[in-house]
Amino acid sequence: MGMHLRLLLLQCYFVSSFVCNAAAFVEEPSGGRSDGFCGRILRAQTQGTRREGHHEFRLRVEGDPETYQPGNTYRVVLQAASPSYFRGFTLIALKEGREGTADEDYAGRFQIIDDEDTQFMTNCPPAVTESTPRRRTRIQVLWTAPPSGTGRVILKASIVQKRVIYFQDEGSLTVRLYEKGNEQLPCCACGTAKYRLTFYGNWSEEVHPKDYPRRANHWSALIGASHSRTYVLWEYGGYASEGVRQVAELGSPIKMEEEIRQKGDEVLTVIKTKAQWPAWQPLNLRAAPSAEFSVDRTHHLMSFLTMLGPSPDWNVGLSGEDLCTKDCGWVQRLVTDLIPWDAGTDSGVTYESPNKPTIPQEKIRPLTSLDHPQSPFYDPEGGAILPVARVVVERIARKGEQCNVVPDTIDDIVADIGQEEKEKDDTPETCIYSAWSPWSACSSATCDKGRRMRQRMLKAQLDLSVPCPHTQDFQPCMGPGCSMEEPSTCMMSEWISWSACSVSCGMGMRSRERYVKQYPEDGSLCQLNTEETENRDLLKYTIPCMLSPWSEWSECSVTCGRGVRTRQRMLKSDPAGCTEELEQTEKCMLPECCECLFTRFLKIQPLIFSSVLPSTPAVDCMVSDWSDWSECNKSCGKGHTIRTRMIKLEPQFGGSACPETIQRKKCKIRKCRTKGGGNGATRGTGGAGGPAGCRMQPWTSWTGCTKPCGGGMQERFRTAKKRAKGSCKDRREIRVCNNHSC
């Protein structure tokens, strides 16, 4: 018994991972280390047949980054170069210097994308392995980076191919990632730098055609700031503030700007651009929006965000982008393609999903192509989302003494000179002035237009024949929270479909709603209606579709493992004017089948253990109990009824064959009436016209089979078009389908 148990465990290990290939029939000494199964995996990787220096296998993190952002999610791909392939694999993520013998040795967490290819190891949950041993050339999983302070992380993969393990500590199956910004070095640049941010929206129907909203697509007003390291506007893995939520859901930057200005000394410049309606236009028709901002040694980070609308809470932007270089200079040019991210405040999955607040609020995360099948960015292959925008940040000037270690290039010098010439005024050299004073407060405390003023002093006039310009300068302004530009109008969503009528016949009322997609930039409220109602007389309208309620879901088509289940509803009106579905199917999952890994393994690899297991007992077929008898397939006259049972376990190793799984017997409800009123028999369907005075609709199509195998049922229905006095009932027929063995 002990020998048989050890062999059975060995087989299960082989099916679930490559470990048995590496450490088959190697027993752990009783006095050895008592660490968990994960520790034995790492030692097994070094005990089996091992090859190094082969590069036909590669582990990579999508985008090939050298660093990771704590809390961010990355796609990890393990692939083989043609014509190579692999059967099994193991993938782990360790903190640098750790051996994997304790839970705290592992970094981040993996997420399964395709459970037909990958699964977590049963006895080592941090590790990912194959679901079944078969030929494959590529697998992919998602990896969420660990929290800040974890330090360097090492991703390692092992490959099994023909009993050979490939495990490379320094080769193409190992990836090392440093934590981004872990050192937190202070900025050593001198003076200040001025930048221009230009936003290019690439979100268009041509690039992202799925469900593209043609009528209301736009980018909200861009809002951001140059700020110190102690302030965070938004970040992956963090929670959206109220200001971020209002930008993400409403496209309104007002609250976000208020939050930024409340940070006082932590912010140097507020960054703003106008909204763009529509989202994309050729650059020869509309220039890309831009804004200028400044940075210094304390405020050397830049962040911004803008909403793509309509959307639940989707945005693009940069977070904490450092414009200070390690060489104590200022970045000259930065170009970044942007993919959308989810603010974690609304659970919608399409551009125009109705509002559905996420409770509790979730963390900010990048959208992926596998989030939801209805998502406009969905890709069953799990490919990367095409960028929806690009931002270009260019340095246009530097002021003050610079201390960059790397010498200036010609482009640096030309850019600075160009900006100095631009800022020169026409003041004669014979007029000596003091510097301009700061701007005064606006003369208007409301949104009415006012003026603000600044002054300078004339210190000397060296040539009295040359007049000196004015010493005062005025500029139009408005009160706090107002804008000098024309206030934008309210941008509303499309009307949502009309609600059902309040009555089923006669005079009733119905309503529809819409919501504010963007508030005016001046902070005023929208005066447009968000709800409409109308009276409606149902006697004037025909109802194109009358449907019965959905039936209950059928039993799962299998007794173990994966299957399907269905539900139906009946059409109660003319089928010509109705396109609604009459049947729905969904997947169902029951506990793992009893044959488990043992028999599954013997099906896949029947010869591997032939020398180890000299004889195996026969396994007879196992079937379920009979189902109840179905209804008679005819409503009158002679018909038949059926019952079924399912195969729970196929016969193995010469076991007895499976008995019948379908039985039928005759049934008779009543004699059918002829058109002349006699009792002569007609078809149970009621013939072409049914009983006398009864006009019937055509038969509906057969429903889907309730089971993929083992005997299922299909139905079709027929409803009365004109009902006479007496019996004139809807018809139903049943037939057997998929009666082959599972």
Side-chain angles (χ1 to χ4, degrees):
M1 179 65 183
M3 177 63 180
H4 179 74
L5 181 59
R6 285 197 296 272
L7 291 176
L8 183 59
L9 290 173
L10 181 61
Q11 294 172 47
C12 291
Y13 283 172
F14 182 90
V15 174
S16 62
S17 76
F18 69 91
V19 176
C20 293
N21 279 323
F25 303 101
V26 176
E27 293 189 6
E28 188 82 14
S30 59
R33 295 168 60 182
S34 60
D35 52 46
F37 188 75
C38 293
R40 292 202 296 275
I41 289 174
L42 294 177
R43 291 203 301 284
Q45 289 171 336
T46 62
Q47 290 172 358
T49 306
R50 174 187 172 117
R51 294 184 183 176
E52 296 182 356
H54 293 267
H55 297 283
E56 63 265 42
F57 305 114
R58 184 188 178 198
L59 176 69
R60 65 182 292 261
V61 178
E62 193 171 67
D64 298 314
E66 296 181 353
T67 61
Y68 68 88
Q69 183 73 38
N72 276 17
T73 298
Y74 301 87
R75 189 183 309 277
V76 179
V77 179
L78 181 60
Q79 57 192 14
S82 179
S84 298
Y85 65 90
F86 54 94
R87 291 186 180 275
F89 70 93
T90 295
L91 180 61
I92 56 174
L94 292 172
K95 298 175 183 176
E96 187 176 37
R98 302 295 182 91
E99 297 183 1
T101 56
D103 290 344
E104 57 267 21
D105 291 355
Y106 293 86
R109 66 182 186 278
F110 289 107
Q111 179 182 337
I112 300 300
I113 294 178
D114 186 351
D115 57 9
E116 293 184 0
D117 262 342
T118 55
Q119 65 177 357
F120 291 109
M121 272 196 169
T122 304
N123 296 323
C124 181
V128 176
T129 187
E130 76 280 355
S131 297
T132 55
R134 61 176 176 83
R135 287 192 178 198
R136 47 173 58 84
T137 59
R138 184 178 187 269
I139 65 97
Q140 57 180 343
V141 295
L142 297 177
W143 177 70
T144 301
S148 179
T150 302
R152 196 179 186 187
V153 171
I154 302 175
L155 298 173
K156 292 185 177 183
S158 298
I159 291 292
V160 176
Q161 184 196 52
K162 297 179 181 178
R163 294 178 176 268
V164 176
I165 294 179
Y166 296 80
F167 183 77
Q168 298 167 318
D169 288 330
E170 300 297 334
S172 59
L173 289 179
T174 298
V175 175
R176 286 173 166 78
L177 297 175
Y178 295 87
E179 183 178 338
K180 185 177 181 181
N182 190 36
E183 298 177 354
Q184 299 285 309
L185 295 175
C187 177
C188 57
C190 300
T192 63
K194 190 174 184 179
Y195 286 90
R196 178 183 294 113
L197 179 152
T198 307
F199 182 84
Y200 298 93
N202 301 329
W203 179 46
S204 65
E205 188 172 14
E206 181 178 355
V207 181
H208 299 88
K210 183 180 177 183
D211 300 333
Y212 188 78
R214 295 184 177 182
R215 289 175 291 183
N217 61 84
H218 68 283
W219 292 102
S220 74
L222 182 149
I223 183 70
S226 59
H227 56 89
S228 66
R229 196 182 294 276
T230 56
Y231 176 45
V232 177
L233 271 76
W234 70 271
E235 64 177 345
Y236 289 129
Y239 290 98
S241 67
E242 178 59 23
V244 171
R245 186 195 69 80
Q246 289 193 18
V247 173
E249 293 187 20
L250 307 175
S252 172
I254 298 172
K255 181 64 177 178
M256 186 76 254
E257 182 176 355
E258 180 182 323
E259 290 180 2
I260 292 172
R261 294 190 183 280
Q262 287 176 350
K263 292 299 177 179
D265 293 341
E266 296 182 55
V267 173
L268 182 62
T269 311
V270 178
I271 304 170
K272 296 193 294 183
T273 70
K274 287 185 177 181
Q276 299 180 79
W277 293 79
W280 182 86
Q281 278 188 342
L283 293 177
N284 61 343
L285 297 180
R286 182 183 68 192
S290 64
E292 296 180 0
F293 65 94
S294 299
V295 293
D296 60 22
R297 177 178 289 188
T298 303
H299 312 87
H300 53 96
L301 302 181
M302 182 271 294
S303 303
F304 77 90
L305 70 156
T306 176
M307 177 198 76
L308 66 156
S311 71
D313 59 345
W314 300 342
N315 312 262
V316 298
L318 292 178
S319 174
E321 194 66 39
D322 197 344
L323 299 175
C324 181
T325 69
K326 295 180 179 179
D327 303 318
C328 302
W330 299 108
V331 172
Q332 188 176 49
R333 194 169 191 266
L334 173 71
V335 179
T336 305
D337 288 327
L338 305 174
I339 63 170
W341 48 268
D342 190 301
T345 61
D346 191 289
S347 299
V349 296
T350 65
Y351 290 127
E352 297 185 271
S353 293
N355 288 337
K356 186 180 179 182
T358 301
I359 301 174
Q361 182 177 339
E362 295 179 354
K363 294 181 179 180
I364 296 173
R365 63 171 183 85
L367 294 178
T368 74
S369 60
L370 292 170
D371 284 337
H372 195 282
Q374 294 182 8
S375 167
F377 306 109
Y378 181 72
D379 177 6
E381 300 297 325
I385 294 178
L386 292 176
V388 296
R390 169 176 288 183
V391 63
V392 178
V393 180
E394 297 177 288
R395 196 184 74 211
I396 56 176
R398 291 179 299 179
K399 292 184 178 180
E401 183 179 352
Q402 303 295 312
C403 55
N404 45 300
V405 176
V406 178
D408 287 339
T409 64
I410 294 177
D411 290 339
D412 292 331
I413 297 171
V414 170
D416 291 345
I417 293 175
Q419 183 66 19
E420 289 174 0
E421 291 179 351
K422 181 179 177 181
E423 293 181 353
K424 284 184 179 179
D425 58 24
D426 297 328
T427 302
E429 295 181 356
T430 55
C431 299
I432 309 299
Y433 289 96
S434 66
W436 285 106
S437 68
W439 287 103
S440 68
C442 188
S443 61
S444 172
T446 66
C447 289
D448 295 331
K449 290 185 178 180
R451 290 201 310 172
R452 62 178 183 173
M453 181 188 71
R454 64 176 182 174
Q455 301 180 79
R456 60 180 177 178
M457 291 179 57
L458 177 62
K459 292 185 175 181
Q461 186 175 3
L462 303 180
D463 187 349
L464 297 178
S465 63
V466 178
C468 291
H470 56 80
T471 58
Q472 291 184 328
D473 190 15
F474 296 91
Q475 192 178 66
C477 62
M478 298 174 73
C482 304
S483 172
M484 283 301 300
E485 300 168 353
E486 289 297 321
S488 62
T489 57
C490 289
M491 300 307 302
M492 309 296 291
S493 70
E494 297 297 320
W495 286 105
I496 298 172
S497 301
W498 287 102
S499 66
C501 192
S502 59
V503 296
S504 58
C505 63
M507 184 65 71
M509 187 174 65
R510 66 176 187 170
S511 63
R512 64 177 182 174
E513 296 179 340
R514 61 179 177 177
Y515 54 94
V516 180
K517 294 298 294 182
Q518 178 175 310
Y519 288 92
E521 293 180 1
D522 59 8
S524 60
L525 297 177
C526 291
Q527 304 299 322
L528 300 176
N529 293 331
T530 58
E531 184 175 4
E532 278 187 352
T533 59
E534 71 172 14
N535 296 327
R536 191 172 180 86
D537 188 353
L538 288 185
L539 296 177
K540 296 180 181 180
Y541 301 92
T542 59
I543 301 176
C545 245
M546 290 187 65
L547 298 166
S548 69
W550 284 107
S551 67
E552 296 295 326
W553 286 104
S554 67
E555 296 293 329
C556 196
S557 61
V558 297
T559 57
C560 59
R562 296 183 180 181
V564 294
R565 62 178 187 170
T566 60
R567 64 176 183 176
Q568 296 87 26
R569 58 182 175 181
M570 289 182 58
L571 179 63
K572 295 183 176 181
S573 58
D574 185 357
C578 186
T579 59
E580 297 292 331
E581 60 179 345
L582 300 178
E583 181 178 20
Q584 288 183 343
T585 303
E586 71 174 13
K587 295 179 180 179
C588 52
M589 172 74 91
L590 294 177
E592 186 67 25
C593 296
C594 59
E595 62 173 333
C596 197
L597 297 176
F598 177 72
T599 55
R600 189 186 306 168
F601 166 70
L602 291 180
K603 289 179 184 178
I604 300 170
Q605 300 285 352
L607 300 178
I608 291 179
F609 291 95
S610 59
S611 60
V612 179
L613 297 175
S615 63
T616 305
V619 179
D620 296 334
C621 177
M622 293 179 60
V623 294
S624 67
D625 295 332
W626 286 107
S627 67
D628 295 331
W629 287 101
S630 69
E631 294 182 15
C632 193
N633 70 325
K634 300 293 175 69
S635 58
C636 65
K638 295 180 180 180
H640 66 265
T641 178
I642 64 170
R643 66 175 183 174
T644 62
R645 58 182 175 183
M646 300 201 316
I647 297 173
K648 298 173 67 176
L649 179 62
E650 296 279 359
Q652 305 286 341
F653 316 117
S656 60
C658 294
E660 64 177 343
T661 58
I662 300 175
Q663 288 184 348
R664 70 175 66 200
K665 67 179 181 180
K666 296 180 180 179
C667 58
K668 183 176 181 181
I669 299 178
R670 66 178 184 279
K671 291 183 179 181
C672 297
R673 295 180 180 180
T674 63
K675 292 186 178 179
N679 293 327
T682 62
R683 291 180 55 85
T685 62
C694 216
R695 295 179 59 190
M696 306 297 292
Q697 299 283 4
W699 284 103
T700 65
S701 301
W702 287 103
T703 64
C705 194
T706 58
K707 300 177 183 177
C709 59
M713 290 188 297
Q714 289 179 294
E715 297 176 304
R716 65 175 183 174
F717 305 94
R718 194 177 190 188
T719 57
K721 181 182 293 185
K722 179 180 179 183
R723 299 182 185 272
K725 294 182 179 180
S727 84
C728 187
K729 298 183 178 179
D730 295 338
R731 309 288 185 234
R732 182 175 70 158
E733 279 192 353
I734 303 172
R735 72 180 183 186
V736 180
C737 55
N738 293 340
N739 55 0
H740 56 277
S741 300
C742 292

